[in-house]
Amino acid sequence: MFVHRISHRSQYGSRVMVKGCLLGLLLTLLPGWAAAVERVSLRNLDSHCPFVPPQSLSQWQTRAADLNLQLRVALGLLPAPELDSVRPQIYGRRDLDGYSVEKCVFESLPGLYVTGSLFRPATVAAGSKVPGILCPHGHWANGRFYEASDVPQQLASGAERFESAAINPIQARCVQLARMGCVVYLYDMLGYADSRQISFARAHGFAKQSPEHEVTDDGWLLFSPSAELHTQSIMGLQTLATQRAVDMLLSLPEVDAARIGITGASGGGTQSFIAAAIDPRIAVVFPAVMVSTGMQGGCTCENCSLLRTGTGNVEMAALIAPRPMGLTAADDWTRTMAVDGYPQLQQVYELFGHKDKVGLFPALHFGHNYNHVSRVAMYGWMSDHLRLGLAKPILETDFRRLTQEELTVWDDQHPPPAGGEDFERRLLKFWADLIEAQLNGMLVGDRQQNQQLAQTLRDGWRVVLGLTTGHALISSAVQLNPALAETTDEIVIQVGEQRWSYLPESKQQELVNYKRLAAGYTYGYNHCQFTQQSQGLARSLLELAAQHPGQTVHISGHGTSAALAAAATFCALELAKEPSASTPPQLSLNLSGGDFRFAQVTNIRDAVFVPGAARYGDFPGLVACLPQAPQWSDQTDTTAFARLAKLRSQ
């Protein structure tokens, strides 16, 4: 068979080699064959991610609810952490030409600080309200403190009008938006500028770490199996920081809660559309040079487990509809957006009757950028949809660029907080303990809180087991074999006198071939082996139930196989709720070896490594999602299971 190779460069210049047959190439070009492609090779951040919108608004709303849930689980924001109100420290005001700049610091999680610059209009009429706009900066060196080295070229090409903006285009957009009458917060991504508690090397340059170094008595590090099992990631922390930045803007008396916007480019564009997709308080969105069906985000801060399984950036951006969203395209991975991605976004907006609320502003003669040409498009979009009423085009005027020394938030009165890996471990343990305390509080609460916990666990496991990714990437039924003597590993299925067995695969999971070993590069795009087996076995159970109507299908499993049997049962019952499903199956579950826990897994290649499993009650939490309690055929201590059993009666 003819073999081909495709070679291209990803965002950070690494060369990606894709091997396969001619059939594989054809399949990648046909969205309807996504299931076949999944069986051929692993998806990665450079895979083509087409989006086929549904034909009706009701279909999209159903899909959007699942996708929104998937994002919140992947980002570690279900349940959302219950935190104190944001109390920003705002100081060091500088009054400049038509605007002011202040230093602004607050906590996203206790002890973890968001740092940035707050730009305000020079005057705001007493009692009036103005828009608030967030500006995540993206992957420009030093972020808020960026100083470009190609200033003459930027000016000569027409990309910039003034030297100050050519040196720091990030600061330029904040100045102009403040002059337009908006309160603007330019905040640091983790590891950039003043945000150094988690270093740049950890947040954006992670490649690998020693397993012996990952976990101590104080907690665990990001990118470790423990972090992945609790859905803790740099992307999740940054998205939480964005949500808390919205809280900060809303704490300012002059900011209009109905007119919150966000705009950023590259990695800041990722943060813009992801945060807006899950936070309806953000009313207007303008992600520049990021949304496309091509490269999905090359940095660890743009990837996390569970995020893009069965989806991609264009569909995730569609969650913003019908709120206004403008986009730009350049001579980068967004160059094809006008014909592949944007028309599909228009179709979604048209379902709401608001096709005019999505716009694309391509400037393909420029490389990856957020230059003056692109910013002018953004200013007009913000003016129109934040109801500023300004005449277009809105062109920048020159400004005095503030230096790093003038912008830094840290001084003798405001010393930088402690950071480093010891801080990182304690932070992640606190975050996990906080969520566990919230879930335990629901468990010991009243009936309504019990129901809330039951729904949270079910929602979490639906995402963990891939039930929100649509049909494109769901596994086919597994092959069942005639049952022999029961072993400690196999799962036995029985209907009447007939018995079959399934022996789970135990080989290590394959990872995406990439130079960096962050789990999100594999499990952000592909289901883990346990999830694939759970869905495959679930489909086999449904087939058996359909072949033996009115009879109970009995499933038994031990240890890790017990967890797989429970997961398959959960998946089968969830899949049976689909409109196309037949009569719900009658399933009975018998388990032993209840001491197994997903949290015990210490390697992301392990066959039972399941991202997110520890966050939702681990094995007992999964069993609690079943409508009927399993039978236990051994003397294993099932206290944890019994503690959650009351949820079934709610």
Side-chain angles (χ1 to χ4, degrees):
M1 188 174 288
F2 177 75
V3 176
H4 73 279
R5 287 181 172 86
I6 303 172
S7 176
H8 62 285
R9 288 193 178 275
S10 65
Q11 179 184 11
Y12 293 96
S14 60
R15 188 166 293 279
V16 179
M17 300 298 297
V18 181
K19 301 179 181 180
C21 64
L22 180 59
L23 176 61
L25 175 61
L26 293 174
L27 291 177
T28 62
L29 301 177
L30 298 172
W33 290 82
V37 175
E38 176 70 1
R39 291 192 291 272
V40 172
S41 62
L42 294 174
R43 292 176 67 225
N44 60 53
L45 63 90
D46 283 310
S47 297
H48 183 225
C49 296
F51 170 42
V52 181
Q55 297 300 306
S56 71
L57 180 58
S58 62
Q59 288 175 330
W60 169 246
Q61 289 172 330
T62 298
R63 170 61 183 148
D66 271 351
L67 184 54
N68 182 287
L69 175 65
Q70 181 175 332
L71 264 62
R72 287 184 289 132
V73 169
L75 295 166
L77 299 175
L78 183 83
E82 295 175 356
L83 302 167
D84 293 336
S85 299
V86 167
R87 297 183 179 87
Q89 302 177 56
I90 301 174
Y91 52 95
R93 181 182 176 105
R94 291 177 181 270
D95 291 303
L96 298 160
D97 183 14
Y99 65 99
S100 66
V101 184
E102 295 163 284
K103 304 164 194 278
C104 180
V105 178
F106 57 86
E107 292 175 297
S108 54
L109 285 170
L112 179 62
Y113 287 87
V114 179
T115 52
S117 302
L118 187 64
F119 295 74
R120 306 200 213 203
T123 58
V124 176
S128 64
K129 297 280 189 178
V130 300
I133 299 179
L134 297 177
C135 284
H137 52 72
H139 295 103
W140 277 264
N142 297 320
R144 195 160 46 95
F145 302 155
Y146 178 62
E147 292 189 11
S149 59
D150 60 346
V151 173
Q153 296 93 319
Q154 292 291 310
L155 295 172
S157 68
E160 297 293 350
R161 301 180 70 207
F162 303 102
E163 181 177 307
S164 56
I167 296 173
N168 192 324
I170 302 169
Q171 194 175 147
R173 78 172 183 259
C174 299
V175 169
Q176 180 59 37
L177 288 167
R179 285 173 168 171
M180 289 165 57
C182 304
V183 173
V184 184
Y185 187 51
L186 169 59
Y187 56 108
D188 299 325
M189 294 167 63
L190 291 165
Y192 279 85
D194 285 324
S195 178
R196 295 291 181 176
Q197 291 177 277
I198 298 174
S199 71
F200 179 90
R202 295 282 304 147
H204 307 280
F206 173 84
K208 61 181 179 179
Q209 61 194 6
S210 169
E212 295 78 16
H213 184 61
E214 289 179 324
V215 181
T216 70
D217 291 340
D218 291 332
W220 52 86
L221 293 174
L222 288 158
F223 309 110
S224 67
S226 293
E228 300 296 330
L229 287 160
H230 288 89
T231 60
Q232 295 174 328
S233 64
I234 286 292
M235 189 171 188
L237 286 172
Q238 288 198 163
T239 306
L240 177 60
T242 298
Q243 291 189 318
R244 297 286 274 174
V246 174
D247 294 339
M248 185 278 296
L249 285 178
L250 296 179
S251 74
L252 305 177
E254 72 272 30
V255 170
D256 185 347
R259 291 190 290 167
I260 300 296
I262 189 169
T263 181
S266 192
T270 299
Q271 191 56 213
S272 296
F273 77 81
I274 290 291
I278 63 171
D279 194 331
R281 299 176 300 174
I282 301 175
V284 182
V285 191
F286 201 98
V289 288
M290 192 63 237
V291 177
S292 81
T293 61
M295 198 280 299
Q296 299 292 286
C299 185
T300 41
C301 77
E302 298 172 279
N303 289 277
C304 62
S305 295
L306 305 174
L307 185 66
R308 295 184 178 92
T309 52
T311 188
N313 286 353
V314 173
E315 186 182 30
M316 292 191 290
L319 290 175
I320 295 165
R323 290 169 286 161
M325 177 173 60
L327 311 104
T328 69
D331 187 17
D332 56 16
W333 53 88
T334 62
R335 68 178 65 86
T336 61
M337 187 64 178
V339 295
D340 183 14
Y342 180 59
Q344 289 72 33
L345 284 174
Q346 288 181 305
Q347 290 176 43
V348 173
Y349 274 79
E350 197 163 23
L351 293 176
F352 290 93
H354 290 294
K355 189 176 179 180
D356 58 320
K357 288 189 177 180
V358 62
L360 176 67
F361 302 90
L364 304 188
H365 53 298
F366 293 114
H368 193 62
N369 75 89
Y370 203 178
N371 61 28
H372 182 258
V373 175
S374 298
R375 296 196 301 271
V376 167
M378 180 268 290
Y379 299 143
W381 191 262
M382 290 294 183
S383 175
D384 288 348
H385 295 286
L386 292 175
R387 304 187 301 280
L388 296 174
L390 302 175
K392 295 182 293 186
I394 302 170
L395 303 178
E396 293 175 356
T397 55
D398 205 359
F399 67 98
R400 185 175 84 77
R401 181 181 59 86
L402 297 180
T403 65
Q404 176 174 341
E405 291 72 22
E406 293 171 307
L407 288 172
T408 181
V409 303
W410 306 127
D411 55 32
D412 291 342
Q413 290 74 44
H414 307 87
E421 292 187 0
D422 288 341
F423 165 79
E424 186 179 317
R425 291 188 183 91
R426 292 193 300 271
L427 177 72
L428 297 196
K429 187 174 187 303
F430 170 83
W431 189 7
D433 289 346
L434 175 65
I435 299 303
E436 183 177 4
Q438 288 179 212
L439 298 179
N440 285 336
M442 296 179 203
L443 181 60
V444 300
D446 58 21
R447 181 183 178 86
Q448 183 177 359
Q449 290 172 310
N450 289 171
Q451 291 174 334
Q452 182 184 358
L453 174 57
Q455 187 64 51
T456 298
L457 294 180
R458 174 179 175 265
D459 285 344
W461 279 104
R462 285 185 65 233
V463 174
V464 168
L465 295 176
L467 296 170
T468 59
T469 57
H471 296 285
L473 298 180
I474 288 181
S475 303
S476 301
V478 301
Q479 180 68 45
L480 299 180
N481 303 304
L484 301 174
E486 293 189 29
T487 72
T488 57
D489 297 320
E490 70 179 349
I491 294 173
V492 176
I493 300 100
Q494 183 166 350
V495 181
E497 298 300 318
Q498 295 179 280
R499 299 170 77 245
W500 300 266
S501 71
Y502 173 68
L503 190 65
E505 296 181 43
S506 58
K507 63 183 180 181
Q508 284 194 331
Q509 305 198 50
E510 180 185 359
L511 300 183
V512 165
N513 184 19
Y514 194 53
K515 62 184 178 181
R516 304 165 74 179
L517 288 177
Y521 289 125
T522 294
Y523 303 111
Y525 299 89
N526 306 278
H527 295 310
C528 67
Q529 182 173 298
F530 183 91
T531 287
Q532 293 181 48
Q533 292 179 353
S534 297
Q535 289 195 16
L537 185 54
R539 294 193 176 278
S540 295
L541 297 178
L542 291 175
E543 288 182 3
L544 284 177
Q547 294 165 9
H548 302 83
Q551 297 189 57
T552 299
V553 178
H554 300 272
I555 311 106
S556 61
H558 170 80
T560 57
S561 293
L564 181 59
T569 302
F570 175 80
C571 289
L573 294 171
E574 290 294 314
L575 291 170
K577 296 176 183 177
E578 294 181 351
S580 59
S582 57
T583 304
Q586 299 178 36
L587 305 179
S588 173
L589 190 60
N590 184 287
L591 304 177
S592 60
D595 55 348
F596 167 78
R597 295 293 183 271
F598 294 100
Q600 298 166 345
V601 175
T602 59
N603 191 324
I604 64 172
R605 290 187 173 91
D606 195 293
V608 288
F609 171 69
V610 183
R615 189 179 184 96
Y616 298 104
D618 212 290
F619 186 18
L622 172 60
V623 171
C625 294
L626 301 174
Q628 293 182 339
Q631 296 295 315
W632 293 94
S633 58
D634 63 356
Q635 300 302 312
T636 299
D637 181 5
T638 57
T639 303
F641 297 87
R643 186 165 175 263
L644 290 167
K646 64 185 250 184
L647 298 176
R648 295 190 194 93
S649 64
Q650 302 302 320

